[in-house]
Amino acid sequence: MKRWLFNLIYCAVILLCSPIILYRSVRQGKYRNGVKQKLFGRVPKRQNILKNRVVSPNTKVVWFHAVSVGEVKLLQPLLQKIQKQQPDWCCAVSTTSKTGMDLAKQLFGNDWPVFYCPLDFSWAVEKALQRLKPDMLVLVEQEIWPNLIETAKKNGVKLAIINGRFGENGYKRYLWIRRIITPLLQQFDLIATQNELYAGWFRRLGVSCEAIHITGSIKFDGANADRNNPDTSRFRKLAGITEHDIVFLAGSTQHPEEKYAVECYENLKGDFPQLRLIVVPRHPERFGEVAAMLDDKGIDWERRSMLSGDGGLRPRVLLVDTVGELGGWWGAAAIAFVGGSMGKRGGQNMIEPAAYGSAVCFGPNTKNFRDIVEMMLRDDAARVVHDQREMEQFVRRCLEESDFALGLGGNAQNLVQRQLGATQRTLEFLTDLLAETIAPEPRA
């Protein structure tokens, strides 16, 4: 009966939000794709995804669910290790957003089935589980969907959360609805958390100590430290970035962070002609808004989507209006501002620019990455800037004092290096969990 209560709640929420859903569908192209998978669970069938593979008694189907771009990227180092160390595993990757789907197809589509996760209606998740018949369901970070979890458990599927974490507000909300959340979390066979803080929060929500293991953050393993990697090298050539240029990159930005970065560049370019600015908004639907702001300021700029690589002289300001490329662009940045940190979002991932050894700054609102921020500030690997004035002061100091910028970047890179290994630890726990699975009747 409980599952139908959740169904009613979901229907009510969709009904209330229908004007927003309709508007975004028409104006931004959202929610249009994958309707059969989302509403009716028409995901790939187990027998179809195993059809062209060598099937043995040890063959396992493992379903990984990653909500959007950040979680999809986080899966990349783990799935690479699985391919090498667990050839009997067949992985399937689901996501929720269109941008996440596009990136998942790009990263995994040649090797694994990729599909939209069904919405948490009982009929959709039941159909999906009947078709895919996974041996294990792995949720990335903190995806808690009642019908999916309970139906999977009822069907004998092993349940795991990897890279487990909470935003502070999310944890507080879970405390308010503990009577609902605790029974769900207790269904999990494994919760692999990023650190002791998150492990403690899971314990306070009623998860047994036996199910919780601290593995560290996979995000550190997924960060590229090589500035000569193929993506960064290609982007530098496309944008005409030379060895004499100093790139200030503002990435994963929200309003008004792009405006702050542009004003910072405008105020400094006269004293530092080698300075270049790259702006990468967090959400694709804001590309047009940021482009209009650049036009209003009369700045000579261009879009990433229009770069031709013809080797000509390029404008000094670039708007990256493509999805899934930020990791490569960070490699071109000597100075980095990590966005989503001056509003209410709670910050974005600052590990990637840190791994490259950029001089990193971010705003004061970074509660979603509190543990990483604490480590970076403790190791003198980043600075907090509270407004446009402090951002400009930070960039100016990096330009005037190369030792300061290099010191921050070196400390950040060393910090990332010391945190490596979470991917392997996570895979070992997943392997142990699957080894406990009783061999099912042949399902292929």
Side-chain angles (χ1 to χ4, degrees), residues 319-336:
L319 169 62
V320 177
D321 59 346
T322 47
V323 175
E325 293 186 350
L326 179 56
W329 284 109
W330 279 130
I335 308 168

Side-chain angles (χ1 to χ4, degrees), residues 149-311:
I149 292 168
E150 294 194 342
T151 306
K153 194 68 174 180
K154 182 176 128 182
N155 282 273
V157 179
K158 292 291 184 179
L159 290 174
I161 291 175
I162 62 170
N163 219 56
R165 60 179 290 273
F166 290 109
E168 188 172 351
N169 287 343
Y171 170 62
K172 291 177 179 178
R173 284 194 295 268
Y174 282 169
L175 285 176
W176 276 100
I177 56 172
R178 187 183 304 181
R179 293 180 63 181
I180 297 173
I181 289 297
T182 294
L184 292 171
L185 291 176
Q186 289 173 342
Q187 305 281 335
F188 283 88
D189 304 285
L190 167 68
I191 296 181
T193 70
Q194 297 181 23
N195 55 40
E196 176 56 40
L197 173 66
Y198 298 141
W201 286 358
F202 275 108
R203 284 192 289 267
R204 290 186 199 108
L205 286 168
V207 181
S208 70
C209 295
E210 290 75 17
I212 300 173
H213 299 276
I214 300 172
T215 56
S217 175
I218 297 175
K219 288 182 178 178
F220 285 102
D221 289 336
N224 197 333
D226 179 14
R227 287 185 179 269
N228 295 316
N229 71 79
D231 285 341
T232 297
S233 298
R234 178 167 61 91
F235 294 158
R236 290 178 67 93
K237 184 176 180 180
L238 270 175
I241 298 170
T242 72
E243 61 182 11
H244 302 295
D245 291 326
I246 299 178
V247 174
F248 170 41
L249 192 153
S252 290
T253 52
Q254 63 178 31
H255 177 78
E257 292 164 343
E258 301 93 357
K259 179 174 176 288
Y260 291 170
V262 170
E263 290 176 354
C264 175
Y265 168 77
E266 287 284 274
N267 293 338
L268 294 174
K269 67 180 183 180
D271 294 333
F272 305 97
Q274 72 274 39
L275 181 63
R276 295 189 64 166
L277 173 65
I278 299 175
V279 178
V280 190
R282 169 67 175 169
H283 295 294
E285 57 266 28
R286 296 196 58 251
F287 292 160
E289 173 190 335
V290 178
M293 182 268 292
L294 291 168
D295 284 337
D296 289 343
K297 288 185 173 293
I299 291 174
D300 186 19
W301 67 281
E302 65 184 334
R303 290 176 177 265
R304 154 68 180 97
S305 58
M306 301 302 292
L307 294 181
S308 61
D310 57 11

